[in-house]
Amino acid sequence: MAGRKGGAKAELERVAWGVNDRLGSTQFLRTSLGKAFPKHWSFLLGEIALYSFIVLLITGVYLTMFFKPSGSVLIYDGSYAPLRGREMSEAYASTLHLTFDVRGGLLMRQIHHWAANLFLAAISIHLMRIFFTGAFRKPREINWVIGTTLFALAVAEGFAGYSLPDDLLSGTGLRIFNGIVLSVPLVGTYASMWIFGGQFPSSEDFIPRLFTVHILLIPALLLALITAHLMILWHQTHTIWPGKGRRERAVSGEPTFPHFATQSTSYFLFAFGVLAALATFAQINPVWLYGPYQPDEVSFGSQPDWYVGFLEGALRIMPPLETNLWGHTIMWNVLLPAVVLPGIFFTLIGLYPFVERWATGDERLHHLLDRPRNAATRTAIGAAVIAWYGNLWAAGGNDVLAWAFGIPLFWTTWFFRAGFFVAPLLTFTVTRRVCLSLQRRDLRTRAEGVESGLISLDPGGGFHERHEQAGPDQEALQRTRRPGELVAPYPHHIIPLPTPDRARTQVRTRVNRFYLNYQSESHGGGQGDLRHGSNGHDGQDERDGE
């Protein structure tokens, strides 16, 4: 026995060394397991999105075994008594069967739905964290584009899964989607017939197509992009917050194994537990209360999942505009808010890193993050976009708000129409001023010290509070300065002719000064000059608050 065990062990070692000799796996594992990952709670946001996606895959496989993606009509005779004898699609009947007759079916359905909401919420907050801290800058522009593409695909995936049960609420959403497709000039009618397999609501052909898109096409794209995202992150290393001794070219943190691997496993189990608790105690999408979809019925107070609420709001506040050209009607009240606006929105988000790099002229590598207050213009832009998005999201429930507060519906509509323009401008102005005020406070704290809470009596009989020197990490965060080397001077043209090159230079200069002229950056990170010594400042610090 001992000989056989020894022989088996020797054989396994021989196989392992043979694999290593051909693939170099030992060196790869040694390098990978020792890779540093910074420890900060904000980095968990991306991990939550990954864990939610894993839960979605697991629960989705379970649901696929019982759901029937068919639009064939039948008479329901299942265990849910209020709907017995009603005509419905086989997809809706199988959803009821999964909910009431399959052991654990309702729990799995609700975990799946909560995970979808958490997946999109985590992606959104993760993108905001990356934006406000400047983590999208060189060399991470490609990963930012992948992240925004993941967000757009996740919205489409969530809408597809939300529509599959063929209940009255999801059917109303599909009817809106059909109207959006029809609003596209020239090709809208053909696209609608191609997508739905005939005139809406052709569920018999459409539901199997939607099911294939939901469980195969979009998940494959999501899985491929997530894999590419993680591979790029692994190659480029993680970003890190500014602090004592931290520089742009070095990333410090805990090793992948055992610290990061153990923490990630714990976070995954915690995320799964939270989703299970939500599914157990918080009801979501009770399709049995809505009933099957009927073209002549609309549920009262219908609200989509939160991530498509901004499209609903844009449709509701858009004035009724249309144009007739050569026998074709262009429905601007649908085309602009539901096709043009989201297209521009996602495109601008994806291109933002390149726009900022063009505006600032900053071509350097960045591994240190910005404090949002030290990138005042960027932070103000992000806050303005959040206000704009939040205004549209709230407008999607203007009827519910009007009913709940007893105010006319047209008042809420005009309020959100004004908010579409006013809210972003007001938020931008206030946020930028707050960031600049925080910069000046940091400079004052750096010069005077931090408050100690100790009151002293001076010889003249007055009282004053003692100030103490800030700690090393806090002092590093407070060391701010203006990135003067990146602020572009106004161009001086010998012959002021309105040439395209002159106009382009003038525009770029003004955009550059809009970004940087009143902006300070954290010491060692941000957009400061890395050519200065270890102190990272050259006497320009005290002028930052001016």
Side-chain angles (χ1 to χ4, degrees), residues 23-236:
L23 303 180
S25 54
T26 302
Q27 181 62 33
F28 172 77
L29 288 175
R30 185 181 297 111
T31 303
S32 300
L33 295 179
K35 198 173 187 66
F37 274 85
K39 185 178 180 180
H40 193 272
W41 67 266
S42 62
F43 299 147
L44 178 62
L45 299 170
E47 295 181 39
I48 292 176
L50 177 62
Y51 304 150
S52 301
F53 182 71
I54 294 173
V55 173
L56 281 170
L57 293 179
I58 295 172
T59 54
V61 170
Y62 180 88
L63 297 176
T64 304
M65 298 178 182
F66 302 97
F67 181 75
K68 297 180 180 179
S70 172
S72 302
V73 179
L74 52 77
I75 304 298
Y76 180 70
D77 60 351
S79 59
Y80 186 62
L83 291 178
R84 285 178 188 164
R86 290 282 303 272
E87 282 191 357
M88 60 182 64
S89 66
E90 194 171 2
Y92 186 66
S94 68
T95 304
L96 295 178
H97 172 73
L98 176 61
T99 301
F100 296 107
D101 301 319
V102 175
R103 186 179 297 274
L106 177 59
L107 179 64
M108 285 295 181
R109 276 194 61 241
Q110 299 215 140
I111 290 178
H112 191 74
H113 205 119
W114 275 116
N117 281 299
L118 183 61
F119 179 54
L120 278 150
I123 291 178
S124 302
I125 301 175
H126 182 55
L127 285 174
M128 285 190 282
R129 197 276 298 176
I130 292 174
F131 178 85
F132 285 116
T133 61
F136 56 80
R137 293 171 298 169
K138 187 178 179 180
R140 296 175 177 85
E141 302 96 332
I142 295 177
N143 243 359
W144 170 265
V145 174
I146 291 176
T148 54
T149 306
L150 281 171
F151 180 58
L153 286 174
V155 171
E157 175 74 346
F159 179 76
Y162 168 84
S163 305
L164 275 175
D166 199 33
D167 60 282
L168 182 58
L169 186 61
S170 65
T172 302
L174 284 175
R175 180 163 57 182
I176 295 174
F177 174 68
N178 180 56
I180 294 172
V181 175
L182 288 172
S183 71
V184 179
L186 301 179
V187 300
T189 304
Y190 303 102
S192 175
M193 297 290 286
W194 178 72
I195 293 172
F196 289 93
Q199 189 173 358
F200 181 81
S202 55
S203 301
E204 191 166 347
D205 294 328
F206 176 66
I207 290 180
R209 297 179 180 182
L210 187 64
F211 183 72
T212 303
V213 169
H214 179 67
I215 70 164
L216 184 62
L217 179 59
I218 299 182
L221 293 174
L222 287 172
L223 190 59
L225 288 175
I226 290 174
T227 303
H229 184 78
L230 295 177
M231 290 176 64
I232 294 174
L233 172 65
W234 194 269
H235 172 71
Q236 293 178 342

Side-chain angles (χ1 to χ4, degrees), residues 437-501:
S437 297
L438 290 173
Q439 290 179 23
R440 287 191 288 269
R441 189 187 72 174
D442 285 344
L443 291 172
R444 185 170 61 253
T445 302
R446 183 185 169 201
E448 301 175 358
V450 297
E451 298 176 353
S452 65
L454 301 176
I455 306 299
S456 300
L457 176 65
D458 58 36
F463 294 91
H464 67 276
E465 184 179 12
R466 296 180 184 177
H467 287 71
E468 299 177 348
Q469 185 177 0
D473 289 334
Q474 187 177 4
E475 184 180 3
L477 288 177
Q478 292 171 349
R479 185 168 296 171
T480 57
R481 60 190 172 152
R482 180 178 302 176
E485 69 277 7
L486 292 177
V487 177
Y490 287 111
H492 298 283
H493 300 277
I494 299 177
I495 303 177
L497 295 177
T499 61
D501 183 67

